[in-house]
Amino acid sequence: DGGFMLYGNIVDPNDIIADPGAAGYGGFAGRSNILLTRTDAEGNELWSRQFGDQNNIITSAGIETSDGGFLILASILRFPDPGDDVYLLKVDKDGNRVWDHTWEEGSLGAYDLIGTSDGNYLIAGSYIPMDGAEQPKADFLFIKVDPEGNEIWSNIFGDPDMMDYPQAVIEMPDGGYIAVGDWVKDWSGRYPSAISIAKIDSGGQLLWEDVLEIDSDHTMLRAIIQHTDGSCIILGSKMKMGQFEILLMKANPGFSGAY
């Protein structure tokens, strides 16, 4: 209808529950909940809804569904305790809760959500095992769900010595998916940052994974799209000498090189 949906967060500054410098918190010290705002084509608010109650939730993605409702992807943060969760919420066209699902195994992060050509949905996130390791490493996590949020398949993979996890994903014409994300030693930011890029098939099996080296101390990736020539365009930010710059990268099929 030409209107817009905004998927975001609302933070209670008087309910201090987190270290704002902790990874994944975006500088928020107060409790964060999901905020949805629906507008008309001129930007006038039609309705606004909040979800979360006592949970501390950071919204990461949202899309419209085929029935006119909306899907919202978020992370439930347990700081200072370990074990963050992935949370998927479905609301109807008026913002009323229809259903929700939570994934709790390990410590999980939610980053991107897309609709797939077969009418289902794909979640891109991160997985850290709760095995007591002193410096546990995050890996790629993909979860495919049906229109009711029921899991169809999930898969986890990654470099065991590095933190590599997807921040954006797209579906390719062959039915597989390509995701891009961080490839770093740890959360500290003291190590040079590279881009991890991976392709999985329609069943979630890894086809290949590569690392794109860039001159950056830290990257923040936000989107990937397919170019008409078959390559992919990656958008994000990179940091050098304490300053962030916009990063726009074109990566060739097979990713034998990028510029």
Side-chain angles (χ1 to χ4, degrees), residues 63-71 90-91 121 147:
I63 55 175
E64 187 176 9
T65 57
S66 59
D67 61 2
F70 304 92
L71 272 184
K90 170 69 182 293
V91 301
Y121 302 93

Side-chain angles (χ1 to χ4, degrees), residues 11-70:
V11 181
D12 183 352
N14 298 313
D15 188 2
I16 305 299
I17 62 170
D19 173 4
Y25 280 76
F28 300 139
R31 189 181 305 274
S32 178
N33 282 175
I34 294 171
L35 174 66
L36 306 180
T37 300
R38 181 83 158 83
T39 77
D40 62 19
E42 284 72 45
N44 301 304
E45 183 177 317
L46 299 177
W47 52 257
S48 185
R49 304 281 188 271
Q50 298 179 31
F51 300 90
D53 300 322
Q54 293 304 305
N55 288 321
N56 190 32
I57 303 179
I58 298 291
T59 306
S60 55
I63 55 175
E64 187 176 9
T65 57
S66 59
D67 61 2
F70 304 92

Side-chain angles (χ1 to χ4, degrees), residues 137-235:
K137 305 299 184 182
D139 287 323
F140 277 70
L141 166 67
F142 294 101
I143 305 170
K144 190 171 186 179
V145 300
D146 66 17
E148 302 302 317
N150 302 304
E151 185 175 314
I152 299 173
W153 55 253
S154 63
N155 196 16
I156 299 167
F157 59 83
D159 186 328
D161 298 320
M162 299 295 289
M163 301 190 72
D164 49 344
Y165 51 93
Q167 294 172 312
V169 64
I170 55 170
E171 184 174 11
M172 302 301 285
D174 61 5
Y177 308 94
I178 287 181
V180 292
D182 268 353
W183 190 85
V184 294
K185 191 67 176 177
D186 60 24
W187 292 117
S188 71
R190 295 191 302 269
Y191 294 85
S193 179
I195 294 174
S196 182
I197 187 162
K199 184 172 184 181
I200 59 175
D201 64 18
S202 60
Q205 298 303 304
L206 178 65
L207 298 176
W208 51 257
E209 184 179 8
D210 201 358
V211 175
L212 303 178
E213 300 285 352
I214 59 172
D215 184 20
S216 173
D217 297 323
H218 179 58
T219 59
M220 295 170 56
L221 304 179
R222 288 294 177 262
I224 179 173
I225 61 172
Q226 187 177 26
H227 194 279
T228 53
D229 66 6
S231 64
C232 289
I233 305 297
I234 301 166
L235 174 67

